[in-house]
Amino acid sequence: EQDIFAAVRQFFQHATGTFAITVSCTARPGMCVLAAKGQPLDVGFCPKRALAMWTSEPASLAVPWPGDAASHPAAQLHLPMNEDLGEVLEVQVARTSEAQQLVQAKRRCEVASEGAAAAPYFELPEMGFGLCADYRLVLRGSSLEEKPQPMRPETIGPRLRSLHAMGMDSPVQDMLLQMPRQRKCWTPWAGRQEDPIAHDISHIPRILHKIDNLWRDARSLNRSSALHFAQRLHGRQLAGPALTEAGVREIDVLVTGVEGSLWVGEQFAADLSRLFPGLYVVPLSSNLVLGLLQDGAGYMEPLQGRFNKATFRLAPGAVCLAISQSGTTYPTVWATRLLHRDPRCHVFAMSGHMDTVLRETLSRGQGQQQRQALQQHQQQPSIFTSMVGVRPAEASTVATVAMQ
């Protein structure tokens, strides 16, 4: 049927690797198919203008329209695609009458896998932002599992985040609404500066003041996450050293990241070892962690460093801290994802703002076990933010200072 949506699904059934792709066709100028598996892809919607936009960096969706106030981003709604399970989404811009015909026709998407459910068309929920009079955004989508689960209006609605309301999903948003000094979770990038490094350096005092205010507020997310972190450290300390059958000491605390984030993590690990000499605290590149945790065809075990697959062991109740200023660093996100799947680990994350792939990794569930972990996560916060927002300037100044 020349169905691009079905063709993309079939492609992913036979593809090996991680992808975030966009597929379009000149014969269908008002339609585009997006798909993500193992790579981040975030979709922004503006229902009032009947526009859709997508990016691998969710913070870019907060860029304002020219002339608009910085508090009014171009995208009003944000949909993070589930790249853990894999997901495909078709977006159409259709005239209002055509959109109604598509939805009423309930056209099925027959995919190659047996037992696949139909993926119906539906209009993007208005969510209080108003609709374009002449055009509508029409969607259909499904997961990329062996037996795909279709997107439906009742399932996509709770996943949509309002970028006017801090880009948070409801459990975290409810928490933040109780914290007056933390309502703004990210700082929009001010655009091109004559000297972006000097611009960042000038922000250091105000960012540090923000951080101090958050730590004074017992209701803040950083304080709540720190209390949870301290409780897990204390529990691991009381449990005592853990050894494998071969007599290898298991890791009590793992701190991971790359580049500047890893350097900050190494300083933190050194301080933590001095405070808790009974804990085995290990700072390790997330590239190495990823290599040690991955299995399957095409993966090679890292040979450098002091750990291999036989000696890299996490103790029961191990505490893991992943650090990424952008919150989208590929090895850190994937290492966090694999650590989060281990029920023995308590995983925490730190990034420059809240609406990141790293935070999404800790708040997303798969199956019954992951749903239970998600419920636990919502009750016990595990996210730290340095409040610096998007900082593309090199070298990293305010981001490094704030993270320390």
PDB file of all heavy atoms in Angstrom, residues 41-73:
ATOM      1  N   LEU A  41      15.208  10.764  20.629  1.00  0.00           N
ATOM      2  CA  LEU A  41      14.482  11.581  19.662  1.00  0.00           C
ATOM      3  C   LEU A  41      13.291  12.188  20.393  1.00  0.00           C
ATOM      4  O   LEU A  41      12.468  11.464  20.959  1.00  0.00           O
ATOM      5  CB  LEU A  41      14.015  10.746  18.469  1.00  0.00           C
ATOM      6  CG  LEU A  41      13.443  11.521  17.278  1.00  0.00           C
ATOM      7  CD1 LEU A  41      14.491  12.466  16.703  1.00  0.00           C
ATOM      8  CD2 LEU A  41      12.954  10.573  16.198  1.00  0.00           C
ATOM      9  N   ASP A  42      13.243  13.500  20.419  1.00  0.00           N
ATOM     10  CA  ASP A  42      12.185  14.215  21.130  1.00  0.00           C
ATOM     11  C   ASP A  42      11.389  15.043  20.140  1.00  0.00           C
ATOM     12  O   ASP A  42      11.964  15.744  19.301  1.00  0.00           O
ATOM     13  CB  ASP A  42      12.786  15.113  22.213  1.00  0.00           C
ATOM     14  CG  ASP A  42      13.443  14.317  23.322  1.00  0.00           C
ATOM     15  OD1 ASP A  42      14.535  13.764  23.110  1.00  0.00           O
ATOM     16  OD2 ASP A  42      12.842  14.239  24.399  1.00  0.00           O
ATOM     17  N   VAL A  43      10.069  14.980  20.256  1.00  0.00           N
ATOM     18  CA  VAL A  43       9.171  15.647  19.321  1.00  0.00           C
ATOM     19  C   VAL A  43       8.473  16.792  20.039  1.00  0.00           C
ATOM     20  O   VAL A  43       7.975  16.621  21.162  1.00  0.00           O
ATOM     21  CB  VAL A  43       8.133  14.673  18.742  1.00  0.00           C
ATOM     22  CG1 VAL A  43       7.354  15.336  17.609  1.00  0.00           C
ATOM     23  CG2 VAL A  43       8.806  13.400  18.246  1.00  0.00           C
ATOM     24  N   GLY A  44       8.455  17.951  19.401  1.00  0.00           N
ATOM     25  CA  GLY A  44       7.742  19.099  19.932  1.00  0.00           C
ATOM     26  C   GLY A  44       6.553  19.429  19.045  1.00  0.00           C
ATOM     27  O   GLY A  44       6.615  19.288  17.824  1.00  0.00           O
ATOM     28  N   PHE A  45       5.474  19.878  19.671  1.00  0.00           N
ATOM     29  CA  PHE A  45       4.260  20.225  18.931  1.00  0.00           C
ATOM     30  C   PHE A  45       3.806  21.623  19.311  1.00  0.00           C
ATOM     31  O   PHE A  45       3.915  22.035  20.474  1.00  0.00           O
ATOM     32  CB  PHE A  45       3.124  19.244  19.241  1.00  0.00           C
ATOM     33  CG  PHE A  45       3.407  17.824  18.880  1.00  0.00           C
ATOM     34  CD1 PHE A  45       3.702  16.894  19.867  1.00  0.00           C
ATOM     35  CD2 PHE A  45       3.373  17.405  17.561  1.00  0.00           C
ATOM     36  CE1 PHE A  45       3.952  15.577  19.546  1.00  0.00           C
ATOM     37  CE2 PHE A  45       3.625  16.087  17.223  1.00  0.00           C
ATOM     38  CZ  PHE A  45       3.917  15.171  18.218  1.00  0.00           C
ATOM     39  N   CYS A  46       3.276  22.330  18.329  1.00  0.00           N
ATOM     40  CA  CYS A  46       2.586  23.599  18.565  1.00  0.00           C
ATOM     41  C   CYS A  46       1.193  23.458  17.945  1.00  0.00           C
ATOM     42  O   CYS A  46       1.017  23.695  16.739  1.00  0.00           O
ATOM     43  CB  CYS A  46       3.350  24.762  17.937  1.00  0.00           C
ATOM     44  SG  CYS A  46       2.556  26.368  18.194  1.00  0.00           S
ATOM     45  N   PRO A  47       0.191  23.010  18.717  1.00  0.00           N
ATOM     46  CA  PRO A  47      -1.141  22.764  18.161  1.00  0.00           C
ATOM     47  C   PRO A  47      -1.762  23.997  17.512  1.00  0.00           C
ATOM     48  O   PRO A  47      -2.455  23.898  16.497  1.00  0.00           O
ATOM     49  CB  PRO A  47      -1.959  22.306  19.369  1.00  0.00           C
ATOM     50  CG  PRO A  47      -0.952  21.840  20.374  1.00  0.00           C
ATOM     51  CD  PRO A  47       0.258  22.685  20.144  1.00  0.00           C
ATOM     52  N   LYS A  48      -1.490  25.170  18.087  1.00  0.00           N
ATOM     53  CA  LYS A  48      -2.124  26.389  17.569  1.00  0.00           C
ATOM     54  C   LYS A  48      -1.610  26.756  16.187  1.00  0.00           C
ATOM     55  O   LYS A  48      -2.309  27.359  15.378  1.00  0.00           O
ATOM     56  CB  LYS A  48      -1.868  27.533  18.551  1.00  0.00           C
ATOM     57  CG  LYS A  48      -2.824  28.704  18.371  1.00  0.00           C
ATOM     58  CD  LYS A  48      -2.713  29.658  19.538  1.00  0.00           C
ATOM     59  CE  LYS A  48      -3.762  30.770  19.409  1.00  0.00           C
ATOM     60  NZ  LYS A  48      -3.687  31.700  20.570  1.00  0.00           N
ATOM     61  N   ARG A  49      -0.361  26.393  15.879  1.00  0.00           N
ATOM     62  CA  ARG A  49       0.203  26.652  14.551  1.00  0.00           C
ATOM     63  C   ARG A  49       0.217  25.396  13.681  1.00  0.00           C
ATOM     64  O   ARG A  49       0.677  25.440  12.541  1.00  0.00           O
ATOM     65  CB  ARG A  49       1.645  27.171  14.685  1.00  0.00           C
ATOM     66  CG  ARG A  49       1.753  28.564  15.308  1.00  0.00           C
ATOM     67  CD  ARG A  49       3.218  29.006  15.315  1.00  0.00           C
ATOM     68  NE  ARG A  49       3.387  30.394  15.683  1.00  0.00           N
ATOM     69  CZ  ARG A  49       3.674  30.819  16.908  1.00  0.00           C
ATOM     70  NH1 ARG A  49       3.803  29.936  17.877  1.00  0.00           N
ATOM     71  NH2 ARG A  49       3.826  32.106  17.161  1.00  0.00           N
ATOM     72  N   ALA A  50      -0.238  24.262  14.240  1.00  0.00           N
ATOM     73  CA  ALA A  50      -0.222  22.977  13.532  1.00  0.00           C
ATOM     74  C   ALA A  50       1.188  22.651  13.030  1.00  0.00           C
ATOM     75  O   ALA A  50       1.394  22.303  11.877  1.00  0.00           O
ATOM     76  CB  ALA A  50      -1.222  22.964  12.379  1.00  0.00           C
ATOM     77  N   LEU A  51       2.159  22.767  13.937  1.00  0.00           N
ATOM     78  CA  LEU A  51       3.558  22.510  13.599  1.00  0.00           C
ATOM     79  C   LEU A  51       4.118  21.406  14.480  1.00  0.00           C
ATOM     80  O   LEU A  51       3.751  21.279  15.656  1.00  0.00           O
ATOM     81  CB  LEU A  51       4.393  23.782  13.788  1.00  0.00           C
ATOM     82  CG  LEU A  51       4.154  24.930  12.808  1.00  0.00           C
ATOM     83  CD1 LEU A  51       5.010  26.114  13.192  1.00  0.00           C
ATOM     84  CD2 LEU A  51       4.460  24.497  11.386  1.00  0.00           C
ATOM     85  N   ALA A  52       5.009  20.631  13.892  1.00  0.00           N
ATOM     86  CA  ALA A  52       5.754  19.608  14.642  1.00  0.00           C
ATOM     87  C   ALA A  52       7.236  19.812  14.378  1.00  0.00           C
ATOM     88  O   ALA A  52       7.627  20.204  13.276  1.00  0.00           O
ATOM     89  CB  ALA A  52       5.326  18.202  14.227  1.00  0.00           C
ATOM     90  N   MET A  53       8.051  19.573  15.367  1.00  0.00           N
ATOM     91  CA  MET A  53       9.512  19.708  15.243  1.00  0.00           C
ATOM     92  C   MET A  53      10.137  18.604  16.077  1.00  0.00           C
ATOM     93  O   MET A  53       9.536  18.107  17.025  1.00  0.00           O
ATOM     94  CB  MET A  53       9.957  21.094  15.706  1.00  0.00           C
ATOM     95  CG  MET A  53       9.522  21.467  17.107  1.00  0.00           C
ATOM     96  SD  MET A  53       9.320  23.243  17.363  1.00  0.00           S
ATOM     97  CE  MET A  53       7.674  23.506  16.684  1.00  0.00           C
ATOM     98  N   TRP A  54      11.332  18.195  15.715  1.00  0.00           N
ATOM     99  CA  TRP A  54      11.973  17.102  16.454  1.00  0.00           C
ATOM    100  C   TRP A  54      13.466  17.341  16.556  1.00  0.00           C
ATOM    101  O   TRP A  54      14.067  18.045  15.754  1.00  0.00           O
ATOM    102  CB  TRP A  54      11.672  15.756  15.815  1.00  0.00           C
ATOM    103  CG  TRP A  54      11.883  15.676  14.343  1.00  0.00           C
ATOM    104  CD1 TRP A  54      13.007  15.266  13.679  1.00  0.00           C
ATOM    105  CD2 TRP A  54      10.941  16.023  13.332  1.00  0.00           C
ATOM    106  NE1 TRP A  54      12.819  15.339  12.330  1.00  0.00           N
ATOM    107  CE2 TRP A  54      11.555  15.801  12.082  1.00  0.00           C
ATOM    108  CE3 TRP A  54       9.623  16.503  13.349  1.00  0.00           C
ATOM    109  CZ2 TRP A  54      10.911  16.037  10.872  1.00  0.00           C
ATOM    110  CZ3 TRP A  54       8.981  16.744  12.145  1.00  0.00           C
ATOM    111  CH2 TRP A  54       9.625  16.499  10.920  1.00  0.00           C
ATOM    112  N   THR A  55      14.068  16.713  17.558  1.00  0.00           N
ATOM    113  CA  THR A  55      15.466  16.980  17.883  1.00  0.00           C
ATOM    114  C   THR A  55      16.011  15.839  18.730  1.00  0.00           C
ATOM    115  O   THR A  55      15.242  15.082  19.341  1.00  0.00           O
ATOM    116  CB  THR A  55      15.584  18.306  18.662  1.00  0.00           C
ATOM    117  OG1 THR A  55      16.939  18.527  19.045  1.00  0.00           O
ATOM    118  CG2 THR A  55      14.743  18.281  19.928  1.00  0.00           C
ATOM    119  N   SER A  56      17.329  15.700  18.773  1.00  0.00           N
ATOM    120  CA  SER A  56      17.957  14.770  19.709  1.00  0.00           C
ATOM    121  C   SER A  56      18.319  15.447  21.022  1.00  0.00           C
ATOM    122  O   SER A  56      18.741  14.787  21.964  1.00  0.00           O
ATOM    123  CB  SER A  56      19.226  14.167  19.081  1.00  0.00           C
ATOM    124  OG  SER A  56      20.159  15.196  18.793  1.00  0.00           O
ATOM    125  N   GLU A  57      18.170  16.764  21.087  1.00  0.00           N
ATOM    126  CA  GLU A  57      18.481  17.536  22.293  1.00  0.00           C
ATOM    127  C   GLU A  57      17.200  18.223  22.763  1.00  0.00           C
ATOM    128  O   GLU A  57      16.789  19.229  22.198  1.00  0.00           O
ATOM    129  CB  GLU A  57      19.566  18.580  21.986  1.00  0.00           C
ATOM    130  CG  GLU A  57      19.848  19.559  23.111  1.00  0.00           C
ATOM    131  CD  GLU A  57      20.112  18.880  24.433  1.00  0.00           C
ATOM    132  OE1 GLU A  57      21.188  18.293  24.576  1.00  0.00           O
ATOM    133  OE2 GLU A  57      19.230  18.934  25.320  1.00  0.00           O
ATOM    134  N   PRO A  58      16.510  17.678  23.772  1.00  0.00           N
ATOM    135  CA  PRO A  58      15.209  18.214  24.168  1.00  0.00           C
ATOM    136  C   PRO A  58      15.224  19.676  24.578  1.00  0.00           C
ATOM    137  O   PRO A  58      14.227  20.375  24.423  1.00  0.00           O
ATOM    138  CB  PRO A  58      14.785  17.304  25.331  1.00  0.00           C
ATOM    139  CG  PRO A  58      16.027  16.621  25.779  1.00  0.00           C
ATOM    140  CD  PRO A  58      16.904  16.509  24.576  1.00  0.00           C
ATOM    141  N   ALA A  59      16.367  20.162  25.100  1.00  0.00           N
ATOM    142  CA  ALA A  59      16.411  21.560  25.527  1.00  0.00           C
ATOM    143  C   ALA A  59      16.219  22.523  24.366  1.00  0.00           C
ATOM    144  O   ALA A  59      15.775  23.653  24.557  1.00  0.00           O
ATOM    145  CB  ALA A  59      17.738  21.847  26.228  1.00  0.00           C
ATOM    146  N   SER A  60      16.546  22.082  23.143  1.00  0.00           N
ATOM    147  CA  SER A  60      16.404  22.980  21.992  1.00  0.00           C
ATOM    148  C   SER A  60      14.943  23.278  21.676  1.00  0.00           C
ATOM    149  O   SER A  60      14.639  24.258  20.989  1.00  0.00           O
ATOM    150  CB  SER A  60      17.087  22.376  20.760  1.00  0.00           C
ATOM    151  OG  SER A  60      16.476  21.163  20.384  1.00  0.00           O
ATOM    152  N   LEU A  61      14.016  22.466  22.170  1.00  0.00           N
ATOM    153  CA  LEU A  61      12.594  22.723  21.944  1.00  0.00           C
ATOM    154  C   LEU A  61      12.124  23.963  22.699  1.00  0.00           C
ATOM    155  O   LEU A  61      11.050  24.488  22.426  1.00  0.00           O
ATOM    156  CB  LEU A  61      11.760  21.515  22.386  1.00  0.00           C
ATOM    157  CG  LEU A  61      11.977  20.222  21.595  1.00  0.00           C
ATOM    158  CD1 LEU A  61      11.205  19.079  22.238  1.00  0.00           C
ATOM    159  CD2 LEU A  61      11.559  20.403  20.139  1.00  0.00           C
ATOM    160  N   ALA A  62      12.929  24.411  23.659  1.00  0.00           N
ATOM    161  CA  ALA A  62      12.547  25.579  24.454  1.00  0.00           C
ATOM    162  C   ALA A  62      12.944  26.896  23.799  1.00  0.00           C
ATOM    163  O   ALA A  62      12.688  27.963  24.351  1.00  0.00           O
ATOM    164  CB  ALA A  62      13.187  25.494  25.843  1.00  0.00           C
ATOM    165  N   VAL A  63      13.561  26.859  22.612  1.00  0.00           N
ATOM    166  CA  VAL A  63      13.950  28.103  21.927  1.00  0.00           C
ATOM    167  C   VAL A  63      12.693  28.894  21.579  1.00  0.00           C
ATOM    168  O   VAL A  63      11.753  28.351  20.990  1.00  0.00           O
ATOM    169  CB  VAL A  63      14.750  27.777  20.647  1.00  0.00           C
ATOM    170  CG1 VAL A  63      15.017  29.047  19.855  1.00  0.00           C
ATOM    171  CG2 VAL A  63      16.051  27.086  21.006  1.00  0.00           C
ATOM    172  N   PRO A  64      12.626  30.187  21.928  1.00  0.00           N
ATOM    173  CA  PRO A  64      11.402  30.958  21.672  1.00  0.00           C
ATOM    174  C   PRO A  64      11.283  31.390  20.219  1.00  0.00           C
ATOM    175  O   PRO A  64      12.272  31.478  19.491  1.00  0.00           O
ATOM    176  CB  PRO A  64      11.565  32.173  22.595  1.00  0.00           C
ATOM    177  CG  PRO A  64      13.050  32.345  22.720  1.00  0.00           C
ATOM    178  CD  PRO A  64      13.629  30.953  22.683  1.00  0.00           C
ATOM    179  N   TRP A  65      10.055  31.633  19.804  1.00  0.00           N
ATOM    180  CA  TRP A  65       9.840  32.241  18.489  1.00  0.00           C
ATOM    181  C   TRP A  65      10.438  33.639  18.481  1.00  0.00           C
ATOM    182  O   TRP A  65      10.461  34.319  19.511  1.00  0.00           O
ATOM    183  CB  TRP A  65       8.347  32.346  18.187  1.00  0.00           C
ATOM    184  CG  TRP A  65       7.680  31.060  17.867  1.00  0.00           C
ATOM    185  CD1 TRP A  65       6.908  30.308  18.703  1.00  0.00           C
ATOM    186  CD2 TRP A  65       7.722  30.357  16.616  1.00  0.00           C
ATOM    187  NE1 TRP A  65       6.474  29.178  18.065  1.00  0.00           N
ATOM    188  CE2 TRP A  65       6.950  29.183  16.780  1.00  0.00           C
ATOM    189  CE3 TRP A  65       8.337  30.602  15.386  1.00  0.00           C
ATOM    190  CZ2 TRP A  65       6.779  28.265  15.751  1.00  0.00           C
ATOM    191  CZ3 TRP A  65       8.157  29.680  14.365  1.00  0.00           C
ATOM    192  CH2 TRP A  65       7.393  28.533  14.549  1.00  0.00           C
ATOM    193  N   PRO A  66      10.951  34.119  17.350  1.00  0.00           N
ATOM    194  CA  PRO A  66      11.482  35.494  17.280  1.00  0.00           C
ATOM    195  C   PRO A  66      10.421  36.507  17.718  1.00  0.00           C
ATOM    196  O   PRO A  66       9.283  36.471  17.261  1.00  0.00           O
ATOM    197  CB  PRO A  66      11.830  35.667  15.797  1.00  0.00           C
ATOM    198  CG  PRO A  66      12.052  34.277  15.298  1.00  0.00           C
ATOM    199  CD  PRO A  66      11.103  33.405  16.068  1.00  0.00           C
ATOM    200  N   GLY A  67      10.827  37.338  18.662  1.00  0.00           N
ATOM    201  CA  GLY A  67       9.907  38.364  19.138  1.00  0.00           C
ATOM    202  C   GLY A  67       9.093  37.941  20.335  1.00  0.00           C
ATOM    203  O   GLY A  67       8.533  38.780  21.027  1.00  0.00           O
ATOM    204  N   ASP A  68       9.002  36.634  20.600  1.00  0.00           N
ATOM    205  CA  ASP A  68       8.257  36.151  21.753  1.00  0.00           C
ATOM    206  C   ASP A  68       9.103  36.243  23.009  1.00  0.00           C
ATOM    207  O   ASP A  68      10.323  36.268  22.959  1.00  0.00           O
ATOM    208  CB  ASP A  68       7.826  34.697  21.556  1.00  0.00           C
ATOM    209  CG  ASP A  68       6.639  34.578  20.615  1.00  0.00           C
ATOM    210  OD1 ASP A  68       6.197  35.633  20.124  1.00  0.00           O
ATOM    211  OD2 ASP A  68       6.173  33.454  20.390  1.00  0.00           O
ATOM    212  N   ALA A  69       8.424  36.283  24.142  1.00  0.00           N
ATOM    213  CA  ALA A  69       9.137  36.262  25.424  1.00  0.00           C
ATOM    214  C   ALA A  69       9.807  34.910  25.608  1.00  0.00           C
ATOM    215  O   ALA A  69       9.343  33.901  25.103  1.00  0.00           O
ATOM    216  CB  ALA A  69       8.163  36.533  26.572  1.00  0.00           C
ATOM    217  N   ALA A  70      10.900  34.909  26.354  1.00  0.00           N
ATOM    218  CA  ALA A  70      11.668  33.676  26.536  1.00  0.00           C
ATOM    219  C   ALA A  70      10.859  32.591  27.245  1.00  0.00           C
ATOM    220  O   ALA A  70      11.197  31.427  27.196  1.00  0.00           O
ATOM    221  CB  ALA A  70      12.936  33.969  27.326  1.00  0.00           C
ATOM    222  N   SER A  71       9.775  32.993  27.923  1.00  0.00           N
ATOM    223  CA  SER A  71       8.961  32.007  28.626  1.00  0.00           C
ATOM    224  C   SER A  71       7.955  31.327  27.704  1.00  0.00           C
ATOM    225  O   SER A  71       7.176  30.499  28.155  1.00  0.00           O
ATOM    226  CB  SER A  71       8.217  32.686  29.783  1.00  0.00           C
ATOM    227  OG  SER A  71       7.401  33.733  29.285  1.00  0.00           O
ATOM    228  N   HIS A  72       7.958  31.657  26.408  1.00  0.00           N
ATOM    229  CA  HIS A  72       7.027  31.052  25.458  1.00  0.00           C
ATOM    230  C   HIS A  72       7.815  30.358  24.359  1.00  0.00           C
ATOM    231  O   HIS A  72       8.117  30.951  23.324  1.00  0.00           O
ATOM    232  CB  HIS A  72       6.095  32.113  24.861  1.00  0.00           C
ATOM    233  CG  HIS A  72       5.174  32.724  25.863  1.00  0.00           C
ATOM    234  ND1 HIS A  72       5.540  33.786  26.664  1.00  0.00           N
ATOM    235  CD2 HIS A  72       3.906  32.398  26.225  1.00  0.00           C
ATOM    236  CE1 HIS A  72       4.531  34.102  27.462  1.00  0.00           C
ATOM    237  NE2 HIS A  72       3.528  33.275  27.212  1.00  0.00           N
ATOM    238  N   PRO A  73       8.178  29.099  24.569  1.00  0.00           N
ATOM    239  CA  PRO A  73       8.974  28.389  23.569  1.00  0.00           C
ATOM    240  C   PRO A  73       8.172  28.084  22.313  1.00  0.00           C
ATOM    241  O   PRO A  73       6.941  28.094  22.311  1.00  0.00           O
ATOM    242  CB  PRO A  73       9.375  27.101  24.293  1.00  0.00           C
ATOM    243  CG  PRO A  73       8.352  26.911  25.356  1.00  0.00           C
ATOM    244  CD  PRO A  73       7.918  28.285  25.761  1.00  0.00           C
TER     245      PRO A  73
END
